[in-house]
Amino acid sequence: MARHLVHSPGSFFLLCFHLLLAALVATAQNAPVKVRVGVILDLMSPVGHRRRSSIQMGVEDYYAAHPRSATRVELHFRDSVGDVLDAASAAVDLIKNTQVQAIIGPKTSAEADFVSRIGDRAHVPVLSYSATSPALSAAKTPFFVRAAANDSFQTAPIAAILVAFGWRAAAVLYEDSPYGTDILPALADALQRVGAKIMDRTAVPSDATDARLDAALYHLMAMPTRVFVVHMVYPVAARLFRRAKMAGMMSEGYVWVATDGVGSFMDMSSTEDVEAMQGVVSLQPYVQMTDAVKNFPARLRARSRRENSSDDGVAGSILMRLWAYDTAWAIAAAAETAHVPGPAFQTPKRSTRLTDLDRLGVSATGTTLLKAVLATTFDGISGKFKLVDGQRQMPGYEVLNIIGKGARTVGFWTPESGISQDLDANSAREMKQILWPGEPRSTPKGWVVSPNAQVLRVAVLVKRGFKQFVGVSVNSTTGETQVTGYCIDLFDEVMKNLPYPVSYRYVPRDPSLDSYGKIVDQEADMIVGDVTITASRMTKVDFTMPFTESGWSMVVAVHKDTSPTMWIFVYPLSASLWLASLAFFCFTGFVVWVIEHRINPEFRGTPWQQFGLIFYFAFSTLVFSHSRKSSLVVGRLLISMYTITSLP
């Protein structure tokens, strides 16, 4: 007997429901985990729109290349309106209400400083592709990640440019903001390492009027240095160079070296800006021109045209957009590597909650995601993405010379090789020909003698002899005092080799009228001459090291002895001296005879005997012990004194 299976309509629909439910469960189990990432931008500006498109393209391209990823970055955009407080408010909203697990942005260093502290408190990593201030670091806020170049990196190539042309001093014009001021310590250290220094620092407010810019420029014009380093955001720098051109400071003799705040934004420069910057040398982080880099502007422009037609043709830094693209790629790669789960925040345990900051929770996934981001490395569209100490490393910088209708590359700088014409290891260690302001044929000297500079008074000692060392004479025609000599030539060469100009004039002084000590005590700034170094003088003035050997020497003419004679022993004394000695012989003998002949029988006899005894006694006291002795104390004393005074 055959059996037939009979199914009711109800059982059939029940079976279909179970199969559909199983499929939904399987799909849910295989669905990617959503990773919420907040993005803070100035969405009111066209530049912000372009950067938003760059971040979206970075996430989309990553998942197009990794379609089986277990995670999916979900972007949540907030508008900072270009304000620090609004950026902080956006960060609080993203963490508290949306519970994002990471934040990209904001735009400026001042905004990033505030937002990074909020992220550090909530353990939410903050990745910035545009905050380049050296004051921002992982040492202060561990959850801050700089996906851009630190401004302190470019101080070394700036110092290398100055050294390459022999400039040892420069004046710095910087924006009065965290972006501008925070680079100064690193720049001063970099210049000091190469033997250069900052002669002056001039701050320019970001909202400075034309009058304020003119005042800063005229202040620098009065200085002797003609080498200026500019560190400002592009809009302020462009206005500065336009005012400098009007003031005549973009002419021959001036040198302008700008940081990447100018070089990286040349693609947004107007014709007027380029005309005002003729001859400026600037830096730009090096990016290899691959096919992806060449095609990126066209892709971005097409996307922006679809989303917002008003953004078509908007200029901006292509470098910042590349860094924004790589930052989005990095957070997507880190979330996939770390297998980050969905958002989870621990509610803070505080008895009093006064503000939204007090109500922020602590992300349970923030530390894991941060470690994954710091360990992420890949070949990004702008080059190798690698983080060291929480900030991206740059392979090198490109040196640009703004000339004609744009900028041309004149060299490269890398930490390993320094300045070179190309990145080739065998490339020349120098830059290509640079056209400076005014297009001079030679490299500018870098300084001038300022009319406002103090003239140093250099005292010169007027000597009667040895004029080959220092000679002072008066021109009979013009009446001018001329100072010449070896010491003067040496002093002039030393002053010429100083890295900055020094005005000085020679002031002749006669040491016969005033002693050397009084000349040292007077108000002369320097002294050139043979001033002896003594302990008392060293307490008042500083001496240079002696540049000639010390000591005395005698130079005499050589005469050949052509007439030898037996009377050579009389040459040391003159004839008058010999006669005077003979007279004293006789006088001494006579005095002794007068004293002795009355009581001493040895001094008596005929007149001729006594007369001969006078000469004999005087001569014998010099050469041998005479036979006749004086019997009086006075005679003996007289003989002894005569003998002592007669010794050679």
Side-chain angles (χ1 to χ4, degrees):
M1 181 176 178
R3 289 186 177 180
H4 299 278
L5 296 176
V6 180
H7 299 279
S8 65
S11 61
F12 174 76
F13 285 112
L14 183 60
L15 178 62
C16 291
F17 176 76
H18 283 292
L19 293 175
L20 179 60
L21 183 61
L24 292 175
V25 172
T27 303
Q29 290 177 348
N30 295 327
V33 177
K34 298 294 184 181
V35 178
R36 300 175 185 176
V37 176
V39 182
I40 302 176
L41 293 171
D42 183 6
L43 297 178
M44 301 298 293
S45 66
V47 174
H49 294 167
R50 287 290 180 91
R51 295 182 181 180
R52 173 176 181 167
S53 298
S54 300
I55 294 172
Q56 290 173 331
M57 288 172 57
V59 174
E60 293 170 2
D61 289 352
Y62 175 82
Y63 291 118
H66 305 83
R68 298 184 178 181
S69 297
T71 58
R72 278 289 189 275
V73 168
E74 187 179 80
L75 298 175
H76 298 266
F77 292 92
R78 293 293 185 274
D79 189 4
S80 68
V81 200
D83 183 76
V84 175
L85 292 180
D86 285 331
S89 178
V92 172
D93 176 57
L94 287 170
I95 296 174
K96 178 177 179 294
N97 300 324
T98 311
Q99 292 191 336
V100 295
Q101 295 160 273
I103 294 177
I104 297 177
K107 176 183 176 181
T108 65
S109 297
E111 295 173 14
D113 187 16
F114 208 153
V115 172
S116 64
R117 296 181 186 278
I118 297 175
D120 193 57
R121 182 169 183 173
H123 288 191
V124 174
V126 177
L127 287 76
S128 177
Y129 57 86
S130 58
T132 58
S133 171
L136 298 172
S137 66
K140 295 181 179 179
T141 50
F143 282 81
F144 173 75
V145 178
R146 192 198 312 274
N150 189 330
D151 280 337
S152 62
F153 291 171
Q154 59 184 324
T155 59
I158 290 175
I161 293 174
L162 267 61
V163 171
F165 296 99
W167 300 318
R168 293 291 185 267
V172 180
L173 289 91
Y174 61 94
E175 182 182 341
D176 193 6
S177 66
Y179 166 80
T181 57
D182 293 340
I183 196 178
L184 294 179
L187 181 59
D189 292 342
L191 294 180
Q192 186 177 10
R193 283 193 293 268
V194 297
K197 65 178 181 179
I198 298 176
M199 295 293 294
D200 185 79
R201 304 177 182 184
T202 302
V204 176
S206 56
D207 58 348
T209 62
D210 290 345
R212 179 67 178 83
L213 294 175
D214 292 342
L217 292 171
Y218 286 122
H219 167 72
L220 296 177
M221 189 184 298
M223 297 181 57
T225 182
R226 286 295 180 263
V227 180
F228 306 124
V229 177
V230 178
H231 181 62
M232 302 174 182
V233 295
Y234 183 81
V236 182
R239 292 182 54 230
L240 176 74
F241 284 118
R242 288 197 295 267
R243 302 305 300 180
K245 182 180 180 181
M246 296 179 62
M249 298 179 68
M250 300 302 297
S251 57
E252 185 173 348
Y254 287 89
V255 176
W256 295 89
V257 180
T259 60
D260 62 358
V262 173
S264 298
F265 291 83
M266 286 307 299
D267 48 1
M268 64 179 291
S269 301
S270 64
T271 304
E272 182 183 2
D273 292 343
V274 174
E275 286 292 331
M277 297 181 188
Q278 293 292 300
V280 174
V281 174
S282 186
L283 297 177
Q284 175 180 281
Y286 172 70
V287 175
Q288 186 178 2
M289 292 302 295
T290 60
D291 293 338
V293 175
K294 295 177 182 178
N295 297 331
F296 184 80
R299 292 178 56 202
L300 183 61
R301 191 161 44 248
R303 184 187 182 100
S304 298
R305 190 181 296 114
R306 291 194 307 268
E307 296 178 351
N308 191 345
S309 59
S310 63
D311 291 346
D312 189 23
V314 174
S317 172
I318 188 64
L319 180 64
M320 290 294 177
R321 296 167 187 172
L322 296 177
W323 284 348
Y325 179 96
D326 284 346
T327 302
W329 185 293
I331 194 67
E336 179 68 20
T337 303
H339 302 289
V340 177
F345 280 78
Q346 300 174 358
T347 304
K349 296 180 180 180
R350 293 188 178 91
S351 57
T352 304
R353 300 176 183 178
L354 301 177
T355 64
D356 286 341
L357 291 176
D358 297 320
R359 300 185 184 96
L360 290 179
V362 177
S363 175
T365 62
T367 302
T368 302
L369 184 57
L370 175 64
K371 292 180 180 178
V373 169
L374 297 177
T376 298
T377 58
F378 61 93
D379 292 327
I381 192 173
S382 61
K384 184 73 173 180
F385 187 93
K386 181 181 180 181
L387 300 174
V388 176
D389 294 333
Q391 54 191 5
R392 187 171 183 176
Q393 301 301 295
M394 292 293 106
Y397 281 86
E398 196 172 351
V399 184
L400 306 177
N401 183 205
I402 304 175
I403 199 71
K405 297 182 179 181
R408 66 185 184 95
T409 301
V410 294
F412 296 87
W413 180 90
T414 59
E416 299 80 15
S417 304
I419 292 289
S420 61
Q421 289 189 0
D422 297 298
L423 292 177
D424 185 6
N426 299 324
S427 177
R429 301 303 177 197
E430 59 183 11
M431 287 177 285
K432 299 177 183 177
Q433 179 64 41
I434 295 178
L435 296 179
W436 304 101
E439 301 185 18
R441 295 180 179 270
S442 59
T443 301
K445 185 167 57 175
W447 56 268
V448 295
V449 178
S450 174
N452 299 330
Q454 181 181 359
V455 179
L456 299 181
R457 292 168 296 176
V458 182
V460 178
L461 305 178
V462 181
K463 303 298 291 290
R464 299 295 179 263
F466 299 106
K467 294 185 177 181
Q468 293 81 0
F469 289 95
V470 177
V472 180
S473 61
V474 179
N475 191 316
S476 58
T477 304
T478 62
E480 296 180 354
T481 302
Q482 297 178 344
V483 183
T484 59
Y486 174 73
C487 294
I488 302 301
D489 294 341
L490 182 62
F491 181 78
D492 290 339
E493 287 299 319
V494 170
M495 301 303 286
K496 289 179 182 178
N497 283 275
L498 291 176
Y500 45 85
V502 176
S503 300
Y504 61 95
R505 62 184 178 89
Y506 292 110
V507 181
R509 295 302 305 269
D510 193 339
S512 61
L513 301 178
D514 295 309
S515 66
Y516 277 38
K518 291 183 179 180
I519 294 176
V520 171
D521 293 338
Q522 291 176 357
E523 296 181 356
D525 299 302
M526 300 180 185
I527 299 178
V528 176
D530 56 342
V531 181
T532 304
I533 302 176
T534 63
S536 60
R537 294 174 184 174
M538 289 183 67
T539 61
K540 303 175 182 178
V541 296
D542 294 325
F543 287 89
T544 63
M545 294 297 295
F547 55 87
T548 58
E549 294 184 0
S550 60
W552 292 92
S553 61
M554 181 178 293
V555 180
V556 297
V558 176
H559 295 283
K560 188 176 181 180
D561 188 6
T562 57
S563 58
T565 175
M566 61 176 294
W567 299 102
I568 192 172
F569 69 91
V570 301
Y571 287 175
L573 302 181
S574 62
S576 58
L577 187 56
W578 282 112
L579 292 176
S581 300
L582 180 61
F584 273 101
F585 289 163
C586 298
F587 179 74
T588 303
F590 176 74
V591 171
V592 173
W593 174 80
V594 170
I595 296 173
E596 294 288 338
H597 84 284
R598 293 176 299 159
I599 59 175
N600 191 344
E602 294 183 0
F603 284 86
R604 298 175 184 173
T606 62
W608 285 104
Q609 289 177 340
Q610 296 183 40
F611 185 75
L613 182 61
I614 293 173
F615 290 98
Y616 171 76
F617 183 82
F619 180 75
S620 64
T621 56
L622 294 178
V623 297
F624 58 89
S625 178
H626 42 80
S627 58
R628 293 175 176 81
K629 298 181 179 180
S630 175
S631 59
L632 296 178
V633 176
V634 177
R636 295 176 183 176
L637 179 62
L638 181 63
I639 294 172
S640 300
M641 293 177 59
Y642 171 74
T643 303
I644 294 174
T645 56
S646 300
L647 291 176

